[in-house]
Amino acid sequence: MRGGQAGSISEEIILKELNPNLPVITDLSTFSTMGEVFTSLRKGYADAVIGHESSLKLYTDEYPDNYRCLNMSVCSDAVGVAFKPDGDAALAERLTQTLLEMREDGTTAAIVKKYGLDAEKNVNGGTE
């Protein structure tokens, strides 16, 4: 059995079979919180769980001899900012420029690393 958080993107990807690289999952349980997801794994109710990398990493880092994270992504999301059509175009351009500068000067990578994630994979789009 596999476990994941109800209403999450991971659950949607599994239920709608949006990622052809994932094996077919025939027994999926979903839980209200990530705490319940981890409990199901710890108690043996699930043999694997799916969730956001930073959440799973916190758990697996606590129990390095018991659990491991697979080096695979279920999805890749681009993040953006939306403005009203009649919004401040200069502000949108300044934000775009600031985000590019943060990426170039390593600020974005430092933020990602602070949360225990792989900057090469999560910021620079490196291969897995």
Side-chain angles (χ1 to χ4, degrees):
M1 175 176 62
R2 309 306 189 261
Q5 188 170 5
S8 68
I9 290 179
S10 301
E11 178 190 37
E12 181 179 357
I13 290 169
I14 292 168
L15 293 175
K16 294 182 179 179
E17 298 179 354
L18 299 176
N19 185 333
N21 297 320
L22 288 177
V24 175
I25 297 173
T26 57
D27 190 5
L28 175 68
S29 294
T30 56
F31 302 92
S32 299
T33 67
M34 284 305 289
E36 291 175 358
V37 170
F38 294 134
T39 298
S40 72
L41 183 62
R42 187 180 73 250
K43 291 191 173 204
Y45 302 148
D47 57 6
V49 298
I50 188 169
H52 193 275
E53 181 181 5
S54 60
S55 296
L56 296 178
K57 188 161 177 24
L58 286 172
Y59 188 76
T60 56
D61 284 353
E62 270 189 61
Y63 304 97
D65 295 331
N66 299 357
Y67 307 104
R68 64 186 171 97
C69 284
L70 297 179
N71 189 20
M72 69 179 288
S73 292
V74 174
C75 67
S76 176
D77 291 324
V79 177
V81 179
F83 289 88
K84 291 182 188 178
D86 61 345
D88 185 341
L91 176 61
E93 182 54 40
R94 285 196 318 267
L95 179 60
T96 298
Q97 189 58 43
T98 299
L99 292 172
L100 288 171
E101 289 170 7
M102 288 174 64
R103 184 178 181 143
E104 289 173 9
D105 72 11
T107 301
T108 304
I111 292 168
V112 168
K113 285 180 186 176
K114 178 181 176 182
Y115 290 95
L117 301 174
D118 181 333
E120 180 61 33
K121 181 171 71 174
N122 290 285
V123 175
N124 301 323
T127 58
E128 309 196 40

